[in-house]
Amino acid sequence: MSDQQPSNEESKSTRRDFVKKASIGTAALGLSPLVFPSLSAADGAGKKKLKVGVVGLGGRGAGAVRDILTADPDTILWAVGDIFDDRMKKVSGIEKKFSGRVDTGGGKRHFVGFDAYQKVIDSGVDIILLTTTPVFRPLHFKAAVDAGKHVFIEKPFALDIPGLKSVMDSAKKAQSNGQSVLTGLVWRYSSALMEMHKRIQGGEIGDVLSTSSSYCGGGRPNKMPDIKFKPASMSDMEWSLRYWQNFVELGGDGTLEYMIHGIDRMSWAMGDTLPARCFANGGNIIPVEAANAWDQFTLRYEYADGRVADFFGRQIPGTYAASGDVITGSKGHAIAKGQNVSLVRDGKTIWKSSGGLGYVNEHKIFTEHIRKGKVYNDVIDKFDITHAICIMGRTAGYTGALLTDKQIMSSKDVFVESKGLNFDTPFTARKSPIPGKTKFI
């Protein structure tokens, strides 16, 4: 994309293209979850039992298992893998909730270690849930796709641009092979938000001109204790993996680990297109000793047609947890605040609704595609763009530079080489970046 500002007529045309592009995807999903994206695939699974394997049984992993078992009554948990042995205790809780739907061979298909992902893949499963520490996601995803599996990949699925390009390649291969892929950006599967965006794309507030979004929490998730509490026998790598949210190398920092939900909603409103430019600010109000992830970001995105989108995110205890969107159109605006959504024209609310996160709904869509022999893939031209936008904003904040779309997609920075990584691998966190001094790589 060029840095040159377009003419007014070009801007109007580009905005119409944005709306048209978005309506093909999210609006179609709102009408029928089996319409887009889909193509002819192998015979569907029908009513057969679908064997599910999970890699990473932390909080999100156990949650994803519950979600897919709830969404499809003919799924069973077949295999479990994690790098931490203590996570296997969660299987008994899943067994109690879903009686008769856990069959891991009496524990024979409980795999522990850095190669557990491959053992789960090779165990005879139909669907893989990838929910371990995000740094492993491109490696695990490629292995699952290469093995011909349908895959759920929890967000974030890439922490740097080389990792994102790997995921994009694997997603394209999955689509061409007839394998479905689902990503864990659950606000896209909220029934209320799906209906709101269908109405926006139908023109109820005119052309979308700008979006202001926020995603704030009351504190860092899984905040790392003081480093003095690290057991002497525990390696630096094991300690860091247990508190991965605190390290950009393992979790991607706040824009990817947490704020991605709000940034994704912003991208949805703006037509799922990579902005032409971004500048940003961020830092630590309450730093964590020996960690390097920031607790706040303020991002400004400029699109090729002259539109702008702003995002504000923070994770600071005791602060107002503002999360939502204001989408301004040429004829009105849309407001999403928490679970409540509305459309406003001429100062009057013309439509409103409410609805929670789409944890179960997304898995219904996913498994329905598999059973009907259709391919579902929400990575290509949708959530790959969201991840690029998150990385772009984080990097703009770190460097203090005005970054273009071409610049960010040319980044060669690889945070951690996950292949061959183990608890004995040396790990030292990067120094926290200094805007204006940290260089773009």
Side-chain angles (χ1 to χ4, degrees), residues 270-299:
M270 299 300 286
D272 287 319
T273 303
L274 188 62
R277 290 166 294 275
C278 174
F279 61 96
N281 196 28
N284 273 316
I285 296 296
I286 307 176
V288 175
E289 174 111 16
N292 58 9
W294 285 0
D295 59 14
Q296 60 163 316
F297 283 89
T298 304
L299 314 173

Side-chain angles (χ1 to χ4, degrees), residues 46 51 82 131 147 414:
K51 299 174 181 176
D82 205 296
T131 52
V414 176

Side-chain angles (χ1 to χ4, degrees), residues 34 45-46 50 52 68 71-72 75 127 182 362-373:
L34 295 176
L50 290 172
V52 176
I68 196 168
D72 188 316
T75 51
I127 298 171
L182 174 72
E362 65 174 353
H363 284 281
K364 285 183 179 178
I365 294 171
F366 182 49
T367 53
E368 283 176 10
H369 274 73
I370 294 170
R371 293 198 178 281
K372 291 180 179 290

Side-chain angles (χ1 to χ4, degrees), residues 340-413:
N340 299 313
V341 296
S342 61
L343 300 180
V344 178
R345 288 183 63 169
D346 300 323
K348 297 179 180 179
T349 299
I350 60 172
W351 173 83
K352 64 180 180 179
S353 185
S354 64
L357 292 161
Y359 283 110
V360 174
N361 189 40
E362 65 174 353
H363 284 281
K364 285 183 179 178
I365 294 171
F366 182 49
T367 53
E368 283 176 10
H369 274 73
I370 294 170
R371 293 198 178 281
K372 291 180 179 290
K374 293 180 178 288
V375 174
Y376 190 82
N377 191 316
D378 61 9
V379 171
I380 300 170
D381 294 330
K382 186 183 290 186
F383 295 146
D384 55 349
I385 294 169
T386 295
H387 280 70
I389 292 174
C390 290
I391 295 170
M392 188 183 199
R394 179 192 66 200
T395 308
Y398 282 0
T399 62
L402 175 69
L403 292 184
T404 68
D405 51 351
K406 291 180 180 178
Q407 277 180 293
I408 195 61
M409 294 309 295
S410 73
S411 174
K412 301 293 191 293
D413 194 12

Side-chain angles (χ1 to χ4, degrees), residues 52-341:
V52 176
V54 59
V55 180
L57 203 59
R60 189 71 283 275
V65 171
R66 291 192 296 270
D67 296 337
I68 196 168
L69 295 184
T70 300
D72 188 316
D74 290 316
T75 51
I76 59 172
L77 180 61
W78 183 257
V80 179
D82 205 296
I83 59 174
F84 298 118
D85 181 64
D86 56 333
R87 299 274 171 80
M88 297 301 143
K89 297 175 183 177
K90 294 188 177 183
V91 176
S92 61
I94 298 170
E95 287 178 317
K96 289 179 181 178
K97 183 173 178 63
F98 297 94
S99 178
R101 296 181 59 197
V102 175
D103 179 5
T104 58
K108 291 180 180 178
R109 289 187 292 277
H110 292 184
F111 305 112
V112 178
F114 285 82
D115 62 349
Y117 76 97
Q118 192 63 57
K119 292 178 179 178
V120 172
I121 290 170
D122 296 338
S123 69
V125 294
D126 302 297
I127 298 171
I128 300 284
L129 310 178
L130 297 180
T131 52
T132 190
T133 307
V135 67
F136 297 105
R137 201 82 76 238
L139 173 68
H140 292 179
F141 185 43
K142 182 179 186 303
V145 170
D146 287 349
K149 308 301 179 182
H150 302 289
V151 191
F152 168 77
I153 44 175
E154 183 55 271
K155 61 79 195 166
F157 54 60
L159 308 183
D160 48 44
I161 293 300
L164 176 59
K165 289 180 177 179
S166 171
V167 168
M168 290 165 66
D169 288 342
S170 295
K172 290 172 184 175
K173 180 177 180 179
Q175 188 170 52
S176 65
N177 288 348
Q179 300 157 237
S180 284
V181 178
L182 174 72
T183 303
L185 284 163
V186 292
W187 280 109
R188 291 275 187 140
Y189 298 94
S190 162
S191 58
L193 277 174
M194 290 170 78
E195 176 63 22
M196 184 186 80
H197 280 273
K198 186 178 75 170
R199 289 171 176 269
I200 291 171
Q201 291 150 18
E204 292 193 26
I205 63 168
D207 289 343
V208 173
L209 303 177
S210 66
T211 300
S212 177
S213 296
S214 62
Y215 214 79
C216 303
R220 297 174 188 262
N222 195 28
K223 182 180 177 181
M224 188 172 73
D226 192 300
I227 195 70
K228 69 183 180 182
F229 293 111
K230 182 174 82 69
S233 60
M234 184 180 290
S235 70
D236 292 338
M237 179 57 77
E238 179 176 354
W239 173 266
S240 301
L241 285 170
R242 286 190 179 276
Y243 297 101
W244 58 265
Q245 292 94 335
N246 297 266
F247 300 98
V248 62
E249 298 91 340
L250 305 178
D253 213 330
T255 61
L256 279 162
E257 189 282 319
Y258 175 79
M259 300 170 197
I260 188 172
H261 288 295
I263 294 171
D264 178 60
R265 288 166 56 146
M266 180 200 78
S267 178
W268 191 2
M270 299 300 286
D272 287 319
T273 303
L274 188 62
R277 290 166 294 275
C278 174
F279 61 96
N281 196 28
N284 273 316
I285 296 296
I286 307 176
V288 175
E289 174 111 16
N292 58 9
W294 285 0
D295 59 14
Q296 60 163 316
F297 283 89
T298 304
L299 314 173
R300 161 61 68 92
Y301 295 100
E302 300 175 349
Y303 287 77
D305 62 352
R307 299 181 305 157
V308 297
D310 292 305
F311 175 82
F312 172 72
R314 67 183 176 201
Q315 296 167 289
I316 302 172
T319 61
Y320 174 55
S323 293
D325 320 290
V326 176
I327 304 165
T328 301
S330 57
K331 298 178 181 179
H333 58 274
I335 302 171
K337 187 174 182 180
Q339 297 186 6
N340 299 313
V341 296

